[in-house]
Amino acid sequence: MSQDTFPIRKVDHIRHYVGNARQAAYYYQHVFGFSITGFHGLETGQRHEVDYLLEQNDVKLLFTAPIRPGHPMANAIAQHGDFVQDIAFEVDDVDWAYNEAVKRGAQSAHEPYSLEGDEGSVRVASIHIYGDTLHTFMNRDKFKGHFLPGFQTRNEPGDPIGIQEIDHCVGNVELGKMNYWVKWYEEVLGFSNLISFDDNDISTEFTALMSKVMASGNGRVKFPINEPAEGKKKSQIDEYLEFFGGAGVQHVALRTDDIIHTVSRLQARGMEFLTVPKTYYEMLSDRVGMIDESIDELAELGILVDRDDEGYLLQIFSKPVTDRPTLFYEIIHRKGAKSFGKGNFKALFESIEREQALRGTL
Ligand code: FE2
């Protein structure tokens, strides 16, 4: 194992910029079962925007919305729709991380500063990644409060469905830019390339894409990066880039220890998922061998299975959760497997293409 040249503890939270944070919070509380645990807005002295913090086990989501006309955040939302604007990291030393990243070529978004409050201070700094997305570095070792100074603690529990942590976050970048960002993650944040997929792995009759999975030094942060590849028709990545207005976060994978429970609850609450043809399940045991779950139950819910050298994984992909065909979620349950479901790509992309055809964007 090579030395970790850029220590990152873990993903701290994912921040979404949205048009209406109160309603976004309600959706994530009532569909995904997150609890609303923090608030920062007019009532807590924040005059121009509002934040809602939601949590379930190790997953923290922050929803931020502008509350004044002409707010610069509103321009970004007008461009992209509601979107993932920041994947924030917890690090040991924010000043070191920021200075080192900038020295290695990152573009600065915010120089290090301290947020101060009665319960201590939190050090924060940010750098730009693809599109309008940031990585924020933060450290709250000198903070006794809950999330950030200024936040009011809220206790509005959701009904949790077993979501444990963020497994990976996927970025879609422009044609020809995948290797640029692979190199950027290697050089700036000391990540390494875990797995690569080319258009032979990820292609259907019509469309193709390429993907490389980047992982942080301690292996806890995993970021696949996709770019479109030449196909007969428009790929799902091209569709994303067109509707999003450039590069951005395509999906966030949430890890569960009981995918049947998690997905049944999501479906009961109205979450829609991509489906694969019934023939997928007829061939399943030949492809993946013995598994603990009932294949009938998996077929009923539309859960996919793949095996690698270390075990197997179960996964399912939602339809986009925004009006634009941009951000979606994956629910993943790992039983030893550390991979990303390559064996499901073809069945899955045919499913995405059926949805694209319905949208008239294939
Ligand atoms: Fe994924």
Side-chain angles (χ1 to χ4, degrees), residues 270-290:
M271 185 95 188
E272 289 188 281
F273 292 94
L274 295 174
T275 55
V276 293
K278 287 285 172 239
T279 49
Y280 174 91
Y281 294 96
E282 290 161 15
M283 298 178 295
L284 189 61
S285 25
D286 289 345
R287 194 163 62 76
V288 301
M290 285 286 286

Side-chain angles (χ1 to χ4, degrees), residues 78-354:
Q79 173 70 2
H80 303 301
D82 291 356
F83 72 107
V84 171
Q85 179 264 348
D86 191 355
I87 302 170
F89 297 130
E90 185 186 326
V91 296
D92 296 336
D93 184 336
V94 168
D95 292 74
W96 181 89
Y98 171 87
N99 289 320
E100 190 65 20
V102 169
K103 198 169 83 190
R104 297 184 197 177
Q107 194 196 333
S108 170
H110 302 288
E111 289 183 8
Y113 60 100
S114 293
L115 291 162
E116 312 273 357
D118 298 342
E119 296 169 300
S121 68
V122 177
R123 196 79 176 149
V124 183
S126 306
I127 56 170
H128 287 278
I129 55 167
Y130 46 75
D132 281 335
T133 327
L134 305 183
H135 282 322
T136 289
F137 302 118
M138 51 196 300
N139 180 286
R140 56 171 80 79
D141 291 354
K142 291 184 181 140
F143 183 58
K144 302 263 185 297
H146 181 54
F147 180 65
L148 285 176
F151 272 69
Q152 172 193 80
T153 301
R154 288 263 175 114
N155 182 19
E156 298 172 27
D159 183 6
I161 55 170
I163 291 166
Q164 300 296 330
E165 64 174 0
I166 292 161
D167 187 89
H168 59 274
C169 300
V170 181
N172 280 344
V173 300
E174 300 87 348
L175 181 65
K177 285 290 172 65
M178 177 180 69
N179 285 327
Y180 171 88
W181 287 105
V182 163
K183 200 161 155 261
W184 187 95
Y185 274 101
E186 283 170 351
E187 289 177 357
V188 176
L189 297 185
F191 280 41
S192 50
N193 181 202
L194 212 60
I195 315 173
S196 302
F197 304 104
D198 63 21
D199 50 354
N200 293 319
D201 296 318
I202 315 184
S203 66
T204 65
E205 185 190 348
F206 298 126
T207 72
L209 67 88
M210 312 230 273
S211 188
K212 288 187 178 175
V213 181
M214 304 306 292
S216 65
N218 67 2
R220 288 195 67 181
V221 181
K222 284 164 287 181
F223 292 156
I225 300 167
N226 298 332
E227 74 172 16
E230 288 295 321
K232 276 191 211 162
K233 295 194 178 180
K234 188 191 284 180
S235 83
Q236 51 169 300
I237 312 302
D238 288 313
E239 183 195 39
Y240 176 100
L241 295 169
E242 180 186 326
F243 279 86
F244 189 79
V249 172
Q250 176 210 39
H251 76 265
V252 174
L254 302 170
R255 195 180 63 74
T256 171
D257 292 327
D258 185 352
I259 196 166
I260 288 174
H261 170 71
T262 301
V263 171
S264 346
R265 298 298 296 279
L266 284 169
Q267 288 186 0
R269 294 169 184 181
M271 185 95 188
E272 289 188 281
F273 292 94
L274 295 174
T275 55
V276 293
K278 287 285 172 239
T279 49
Y280 174 91
Y281 294 96
E282 290 161 15
M283 298 178 295
L284 189 61
S285 25
D286 289 345
R287 194 163 62 76
V288 301
M290 285 286 286
I291 55 171
D292 302 332
E293 296 73 16
S294 132
I295 290 183
D296 287 346
E297 212 167 0
L298 297 177
E300 183 69 31
L301 294 166
I303 294 166
L304 311 176
V305 191
D306 197 27
R307 187 177 280 282
D308 65 21
D309 297 341
E310 293 168 282
Y312 68 96
L313 62 83
L314 304 108
Q315 64 186 166
I316 192 168
F317 297 84
S318 80
K319 291 186 182 176
V321 295
T322 48
D323 297 320
R324 304 185 197 200
T326 52
L327 179 70
F328 62 88
Y329 283 89
E330 172 181 352
I331 305 296
I332 186 164
H333 181 171
R334 295 185 177 280
K335 292 196 147 178
K338 296 201 181 78
S339 53
F340 294 83
K342 178 178 161 182
N344 290 321
F345 286 168
K346 197 176 164 63
L348 206 60
F349 293 147
E350 285 168 352
S351 174
I352 292 174
E353 283 166 19
R354 287 196 298 276

